[in-house]
């Protein structure tokens, strides 16, 4: 039985190569990474409290992704929501 030993440098090299391949694939496929915001960033952008953000998430108004035990919000979704809010605000007589 042959035993291969992987070093920390091996893992670092693999990680670097993998990330480069993912970036290259994203460029060729026309994909772009999603910018995910933390709750406090969304609250600052929208000018709302954390409780309001939680209710918006729970009611499906603002979709969230759970990463590492924390919810993250897609920047594009925040932009869409702010556009809708501005349009409704501007359409009032």
């Amino acid at each position: 039985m042959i035993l291969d030993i992987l070093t920390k440098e091996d893992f670092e090299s693999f990680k670097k190569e993998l990330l480069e391949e993912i970036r290259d694939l994203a460029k060729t496929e026309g994909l772009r990474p999603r910018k995910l915001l933390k709750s406090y960033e969304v609250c600052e952008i929208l000018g709302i409290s954390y409780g309001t953000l939680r209710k918006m998430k729970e009611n499906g108004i603002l979709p969230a992704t759970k990463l590492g035990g924390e919810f993250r919000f897609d920047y594009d979704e925040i932009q869409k929501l702010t556009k809708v809010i501005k349009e409704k605000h501007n359409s009032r007589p």
Side-chain angles (χ1 to χ4, degrees):
M1 178 173 135
I2 297 175
L3 180 64
D4 290 329
I5 298 175
L6 298 175
T7 65
K8 183 177 180 181
E9 289 80 19
D10 293 332
F11 281 116
E12 290 296 323
S13 176
F14 172 73
K15 180 176 82 171
K16 184 177 177 182
E17 290 175 25
L18 182 60
L19 287 173
E20 287 174 4
E21 287 183 32
I22 291 171
R23 285 187 190 117
D24 290 342
L25 180 62
K27 287 178 187 174
T28 59
E29 297 296 323
L31 302 174
R32 61 170 186 74
R34 289 173 46 193
K35 178 169 177 159
L36 298 176
L37 302 175
K38 293 183 176 182
S39 296
Y40 79 90
E41 295 171 312
V42 176
C43 289
E44 288 177 4
I45 291 170
L46 297 178
I48 59 175
S49 69
Y50 179 76
T52 301
L53 178 62
R54 184 175 45 81
K55 287 179 185 176
M56 292 172 76
K57 177 181 65 71
E58 290 171 357
N59 292 329
I61 296 169
L62 198 55
T65 302
K66 193 168 187 177
L67 290 175
E70 293 183 7
F71 285 102
R72 302 291 173 103
F73 300 85
D74 189 327
Y75 178 76
D76 291 338
E77 292 295 324
I78 305 301
Q79 293 300 91
K80 288 178 191 175
L81 184 62
T82 55
K83 184 178 178 182
V84 169
I85 291 169
K86 285 179 184 178
E87 288 174 357
K88 286 188 177 189
H89 180 70
N90 290 337
S91 67
R92 291 184 181 171

